[in-house]
Amino acid sequence: MGTEISEPLILDKESIDDGAGIESELVPEWKDQITIRGLVVSALLGTLFCIITHKLNLTVGIIPSLNVGAGLLGFFFVKSWTGFLTKLGFQVSPFTKQENTVIQTCVVACYGLAFSGGFGSYMIAMDERTYKLIGADYPGNRAEDIKNPGLGWMTGFLFVVSFLGLFSLTPLRKVMVLDYKLTYPSGTATAMLINSFHTHSGAELAGFYFDFSPTYVGCGLICPHIVNCSVLLGAIISWGFLWPFISAHAGDWYPSGLESNNFKGLYGYKVFIAIALILGDGLYNLIKIIYISAKEMCNKSTKLSKLPIVNEVIDNESSKVLAEQRKRDDIFLKDRIPTWFAASGYVALAAISTATIPIIFPPLKWYLVLVSYIIAPALAFCNSYGTGLTDWSLSSTYGKIGLFIIASLVGSDGGVMAGLAACGVMMSIVSTAADLMQDFKTGYLTLSSAKSMFVSQLLGTAMGCVIAPLTFWMFWTAFEVGSPDGPYKAPYAVIFREMAILGIEGFSELPKHCLALCFGFFIGAFLVNLLKDVTPKEISQFIPIPMAMAVPFYIGAYFAVDMFVGTVILFIWERINQKDAEDYAGAVASGLICGDGIWTIPSAILSILRINPPICMYFGPSLSS
C-alpha cells in the first residue's frame, strides 16, 4: 500500500479561483524556501539520479535533461511525507512551489557532477584499462600517463573545480533571463510542471504532462521559430552538403577507413567546425554585452536594445499579464547577489584550485590552470547562451577545447594527463554555469528567489562532490568498467584519451583543410551576427542564429526535424487561433518534454536491473533478390 496523500496532486478545475493571480500571491522569504526536509529529499533524489547518470554515461554516453523528473519526484516525496505526518496529527509547514523549485535545483546540481565530473569521459580515460585498450605501443600513449580512479582524489578534485562555474555568470542572470529572454526549454517545462501542482494557473492543463511524446517536438514548440529554423538549416548544411563533400575526399584530405570517432578523419571536421561556429557566435555576443554594459555605465539613460533573440511587443497585453510580469521581474531582481561577491568568490576559488590541482595532477602546472580560469567565463557564457537557445549543453565540447590546447602546450612529457585534467576544469565550469542559468529561468517562472536558487546550487554541488564519486565507485567495484566485453564499455574514455594524444602533436595533425574551414566558419558566425544587428528588423528576423546552427554539426541531424515539426505545428496553430496558441502551446510543449523526461527514470532503472523488453522491432530496407 502506498502512502496516502491528504491533498490532491493536481487542482480540479472547480477549485480555481478566477479572481486570484500571481500578483496577489504571497512569496516566502528566500531563507524560508530552503528547508531541512527539502535538503533530505534532494540528497535522496540526487543519489538516485547520480546512479542513472552514471549508467547512461558508461553505456551510451548521452545524458538527457532530468530536470523535469527532479521537479516531479521532489513534489511527490515531500507531499507524501507531509500528508503522512498530517495523518499522524503533526503540524507541518505548507509545501510551496518555491521549496519545490529549490529541491529541483539542488538535485540537478548534484547529479550534474556525475556528468561533468568525467566519470564516463576524461576521468576514466586516465585509467590503466583505457591505456591498455588503446595499446601500449600506440604512439603517444605512455604508461606514465595513468591515474586509476580513487575515492579520495576524485572527491578532492570535484570540490576544488565544481564551484567556480556558479560564480562565473551570476552577474549576467538579468541579461540572460530578462533581457535576452532565452527560453531554456527544460527549465521552462519544469517551471510549468511545478506551477501546475502548486498554483491555480495551469492546473486544468496538467493532464498534458503525462503524454509520453518526443522531447524535441516540445522544444520546437517552446523555442522561437528562428531558433528551430536555424537548427534545421545547420543540419542541412552539415549533413546534407558539407560532410558528404568532405567524405568524398577520403583518402586525400584524410586517411580512408578510419573509425567514426577518430579525430584525424571526418570526426575531426565535425568537432572543430562546430567549435568554430560556437566560439564565433559566443564571442560576438560577449563583446556586445561588454560594449552595451560599458555604454550604460557611462550613460544610465541608455537601455539595452536590439538583443539577438526576442524583442517583445507588449502593447496589447492586458493589465493583469503586465502585473504578473512585473511581479516576476521584481522578485527575480529583489534578492540580489552582489557582483563584488560573485567576482571575489570566483577569484578566491580560482586561487585555491590553481594551488591544489597541480598536486593532484603534477603535469598540469599552476600557470596553465590560471590561464584556464581566465578564459573559462567567456566559454561559460557561450555554453549558457547556447543552452538557452536549444536546450543543448555542449560542456563536453568546451572541455575538448581545453583538452586539446593544454595537451598541445605541455607536449609529450605529461601532455595526455594535463590535457585530460584541463578538460575536467573546463567542463565543470561551463556545465555548472549553464545549469545555474537554467535553474534561474525555472526560479523566475515560479517566483523563487534568485538567492535561494544560488544557495541551493551551492548545497547541491557540495552533495554531488560526495555522492557522485560514491555512486561511481559502486559501478567501478561491481563491474569491469571500460571493458569492451562488459555491460559498461565507457565508449568516451577511449575518445578522450585519443584526443589528448592527438593534441600532443598539435593542430598540424588535424585533417587537411580543417583549420582553414574552422577559420572560415568562425568569421562567418561573427559576420552573420553583425549583419543581424545592422539590418532592419523586418530583414534581421529571418537571419539564422549561428549558435543554433552549430549544434547539429556535432550532435547530429536527428533532432532538427523534430524541432522543426514543433515549430510548424506552432506556426499553423498561431494562424488558426493566436489566443489558444499563446495560452496552450507552452503547456503542450511541457507535456511532451515532461513525458519523455519522466520516463527516463523507470527506463534507466529497468536497464540497470538488466530487464530487457519482451520484444524489439526494427524496420530496415528490403533486401533485393
Side-chain angles (χ1 to χ4, degrees), residues 168-169 171-172 175-176 179-180 281-299 302 304 307-308 374-375 377-379 381-382 526 533:
S168 61
L169 291 187
L172 295 180
V175 173
M176 306 289 264
D179 297 330
Y180 273 20
D281 189 298
L283 181 63
Y284 177 87
N285 282 286
L286 181 64
I287 293 173
K288 182 177 178 179
I289 283 180
I290 294 173
Y291 168 75
I292 293 175
S293 300
K295 188 176 179 181
E296 282 193 335
M297 284 189 288
C298 296
N299 181 8
T302 303
L304 278 172
L307 293 172
I374 292 174
I375 65 174
L379 299 180
F381 167 79
C382 294
F526 201 93
D533 276 347

Side-chain angles (χ1 to χ4, degrees), residues 323-337:
E324 292 179 351
Q325 180 73 38
R326 281 196 298 269
K327 180 159 187 177
R328 284 196 181 95
D329 293 352
D330 291 342
I331 291 174
F332 187 69
L333 299 174
K334 175 187 173 185
D335 296 319
R336 294 182 179 275
I337 302 166

